[in-house]
Amino acid sequence: MLSVARKAFTERALAEGLLVFALTVWWWSSRHLPASVLPPPEAVASRLFQILTTPELNWHVLVTGGRVLASVALALAAGFLLALLAHTVPWLSGIVMDRILVWLNGMPSVGWAILAVIWFKVSDLTVIFVQVMILLPFSLINFAEGLKNLDREVIEMAESFARRRAGVLRKVVIPMLMPYGVAALRVSYGVCWKIALISELFGARSGLGYLMLQAQAVGDVTSVLATCLTIVLLFALGERLLIYPITRRVRRDLAAKEP
Amino acid sequence: MPVAFGACKLPSTRALPTHAFTLLVLAAWEIASWHTPVFLLPGPAAVAKSLWALISTPAGLIQTGASLFHVGAALLAAFLAGTLVALIPYYVKGLRLAIDGRLTPFLNAFPGIGWTLLAILWLGLGLGTVIFAVGIILVPFMIINIREGVRTVDADLIEMALSFGANRWRQFVLIVLPSLLPFAFSAIRISFGVAWKVTLTAELFGGTRGLGYTMNVARQELETPQIYAVIVLIVTIVYLGNRLLFDPLQRRLQQGSRSPV
């Protein structure tokens, strides 16, 4: 037992050691390079702190976070509806899976970002539109996979007992889809933070992407790095506070339903 | 895999509505373009003309070829780097948490556009910036997939090899590499689609050549047909790459792995 604990301790020490080592290398090389190439870690850290705490800057953080949450929710709903449509109306399945999905899947995110600005001008909805379109294939694929693997026999039984189809959907189909919904949520959430910046570069006058483009235009590496680290931080925070609890809850509910 | 084969050809009951849908979208696009200014929505013919120029004129081919080169070079670099990193925890067990719990999540969460803008500030505009930015965005995809493969390396086989006196290099070539192969394939397959999309972004901001660069010029000059043409070209390349390259390869790989060892 002792050796297992020791092994875990060594791993932990090496993992944190890597972090300290990376910071040291960064700190050391920043002393020999101009701040316009590599600013020292403490400058980036204080900038990061500024972004998170000063009112006029953390407003951008809130705007970006709000857009991410809204887009993920909308993309999940739209992906579910499209998958359900393809599943229940046979002649639509080719259209959804072999045309719409192929197109959404291959479409580059910058393409959406540029087209959305041409079509809708600059606004909050433009950003959300871009994010939803980028996330849609991920949620569609997951829900379609879930519907494909539905247990036919259970549904047939439910239909023969139930009085209304809506009841079957709510009580039987949706619980069976939950694991796939959670997968769709996790993937969409991760992707959305990554593409949040791109969707804000052209279509927004607020948010972290806008902030970063402004910083890049004047060669402010400190702010560019601090913005990226803000994203990494917010992503990890949201995952701990929101995504993990939801995942655990769904898994527990499913486990409780097992006979 | 009957499902994979079936997906190549649509059953006839589904084929008709699907093709009708394609025609309907094209017709709606054409009609809508009559009533909207060309910088907002150019018609299919204008976009097709622009697309043809990208794949037939020397000027267009230079841009398309440059993107192809960027994608290829970045894929190769990311694959090599990702494989190396994924193998570290296999040989140095103590570094497992450092790689799986620290380095990979960090690379995975770091925004791609951030790498691009940093690369521009560090390396200036040009080839190096595009390949660096695209490569480092692809590295986490490679690490995650190949790490899965490394986990499946059969400890019993390694033990047997040891008892036959195979040295580390022969173990690596005869046991580790073959078991990584399917995972390396899916790593490259996933990265191929991602690579085309992020190359466009990297070229748009940090390139001096390529389809993304073409798109940026078109954006500034409001040459909207050009923007649409680049998008159609990328979607087509990703689709054809999957259909003509990766689907057949995957089928061969699956057949190969099913034959008795």
Side-chain angles (χ1 to χ4, degrees):
Chain A
M1 278 285 54
L2 193 69
S3 78
V4 173
R6 187 176 291 165
K7 243 182 206 163
F9 178 77
T10 318
E11 263 190 38
R12 192 67 201 249
L14 281 171
E16 309 310 349
L18 179 77
L19 205 69
V20 174
F21 175 72
L23 279 174
T24 316
V25 169
W26 178 3
W27 175 79
W28 185 82
S29 19
S30 72
R31 289 179 56 201
H32 301 270
L33 291 165
S36 60
V37 176
L38 191 68
E42 62 267 23
V44 175
S46 81
R47 185 83 193 139
L48 177 69
F49 187 70
Q50 232 174 25
I51 291 180
L52 291 175
T53 53
T54 30
E56 63 262 37
L57 288 175
N58 73 15
W59 179 69
H60 290 286
V61 177
L62 289 178
V63 167
T64 300
R67 284 173 186 153
V68 166
L69 293 182
S71 306
V72 170
L74 283 171
L76 287 183
F80 174 65
L81 284 180
L82 267 178
L84 195 65
L85 214 59
H87 186 72
T88 45
V89 188
W91 61 271
L92 278 176
S93 69
I95 295 176
V96 173
M97 302 311 285
D98 296 314
R99 291 292 176 275
I100 297 178
L101 180 60
V102 164
W103 196 262
L104 290 175
N105 224 359
M107 184 83 180
S109 26
V110 204
W112 281 124
I114 290 180
L115 286 183
V117 176
I118 294 178
W119 292 338
F120 309 127
K121 305 287 178 291
V122 171
S123 83
D124 269 331
L125 286 180
T126 308
V127 176
I128 291 178
F129 169 81
V130 174
Q131 294 181 347
V132 170
M133 293 318 263
I134 297 172
L135 298 182
L136 197 49
F138 297 97
S139 85
L140 175 55
I141 288 174
N142 274 295
F143 281 118
E145 194 62 30
L147 285 165
K148 209 169 75 188
N149 296 335
L150 279 183
D151 195 334
R152 289 260 134 247
E153 285 178 17
V154 173
I155 292 180
E156 263 167 39
M157 191 175 77
E159 270 171 351
S160 66
F161 280 117
R163 272 164 290 175
R164 287 175 307 125
R165 285 202 73 172
V168 176
L169 188 72
R170 200 165 54 87
K171 290 247 168 77
V172 181
V173 176
I174 295 198
M176 279 206 263
L177 280 179
M178 277 317 253
Y180 297 92
V182 168
L185 171 72
R186 298 183 62 118
V187 174
S188 308
Y189 175 80
V191 174
C192 199
W193 273 113
K194 280 201 198 182
I195 51 102
L197 293 178
I198 292 186
S199 58
E200 288 175 344
L201 284 178
F202 301 109
R205 288 284 169 274
S206 58
L208 290 170
Y210 173 71
L211 215 61
M212 185 162 81
L213 196 64
Q214 298 275 305
Q216 199 265 344
V218 293
D220 179 1
V221 183
T222 314
S223 293
V224 174
L225 272 170
T227 319
C228 292
L229 294 180
T230 309
I231 294 273
V232 174
L233 212 67
L234 288 176
F235 165 77
L237 204 69
E239 192 152 68
R240 286 276 149 78
L241 296 181
L242 211 65
I243 308 294
Y244 283 164
I246 293 177
T247 314
R248 261 205 303 276
R249 175 103 196 246
V250 169
R251 287 204 183 126
R252 210 182 46 214
D253 286 358
L254 286 176
K257 280 211 180 77
E258 294 283 325
Chain B
M1 286 248 93
V3 183
F5 286 119
C8 293
K9 266 203 195 108
L10 293 170
S12 56
T13 45
R14 280 203 286 150
L16 191 68
T18 305
H19 294 309
F21 175 78
T22 311
L23 291 177
L24 202 73
V25 168
L26 279 174
W29 177 10
E30 173 70 34
I31 294 168
S33 72
W34 296 341
H35 304 283
T36 20
V38 81
F39 72 88
L40 215 58
L41 185 71
V47 173
K49 206 178 121 206
S50 192
L51 180 63
W52 179 243
L54 278 178
I55 52 174
S56 65
T57 62
L61 277 173
I62 284 176
Q63 308 300 347
T64 311
S67 286
L68 197 68
F69 178 72
H70 293 153
V71 168
L75 271 175
L76 186 69
F79 178 70
L80 293 178
T83 309
L84 274 180
V85 174
L87 280 170
I88 291 175
Y90 180 74
Y91 287 109
V92 191
K93 296 273 188 277
L95 282 171
R96 207 170 48 197
L97 186 66
I99 303 290
D100 291 344
R102 297 291 181 274
L103 182 67
T104 314
F106 173 76
L107 287 176
N108 201 23
F110 203 91
I113 191 73
W115 284 125
T116 310
L117 296 188
L118 285 173
I120 297 169
L121 293 169
W122 288 335
L123 306 169
L125 301 181
L127 188 71
T129 294
V130 174
I131 292 178
F132 169 78
V134 179
I136 201 152
I137 292 170
L138 296 179
V139 163
F141 292 91
M142 299 285 189
I143 299 180
I144 290 170
N145 274 286
I146 297 171
R147 270 300 281 143
E148 276 313 306
V150 172
R151 288 205 185 91
T152 66
V153 171
D154 196 333
D156 290 345
L157 273 180
I158 294 284
E159 210 167 293
M160 193 179 71
L162 264 177
S163 69
F164 279 113
N167 61 23
R168 289 224 134 179
W169 175 247
R170 280 179 65 80
Q171 283 174 34
F172 178 71
V173 173
L174 294 175
I175 300 170
V176 177
L177 272 189
S179 52
L180 289 189
L181 194 63
F183 295 89
F185 177 78
S186 61
I188 293 176
R189 181 174 189 153
I190 292 171
S191 303
F192 173 78
V194 179
W196 274 102
K197 297 188 207 175
V198 297
T199 298
L200 202 67
T201 316
E203 288 170 350
L204 198 145
F205 288 101
T208 47
R209 210 165 260 178
L211 293 171
Y213 171 77
T214 310
M215 191 147 112
N216 197 29
V217 173
R219 187 175 75 93
Q220 279 155 7
E221 294 172 359
L222 274 182
E223 266 294 322
T224 315
Q226 185 94 284
I227 298 177
Y228 282 71
V230 169
I231 291 173
V232 173
L233 185 59
I234 300 276
V235 174
T236 314
I237 291 175
V238 172
Y239 178 76
L240 289 182
N242 275 322
R243 270 290 149 90
L244 303 180
L245 191 68
F246 290 110
D247 281 349
L249 271 177
Q250 181 148 33
R251 240 170 278 150
R252 281 196 58 176
L253 210 67
Q254 275 164 354
Q255 275 164 5
S257 66
R258 227 182 280 141
S259 65
V261 185

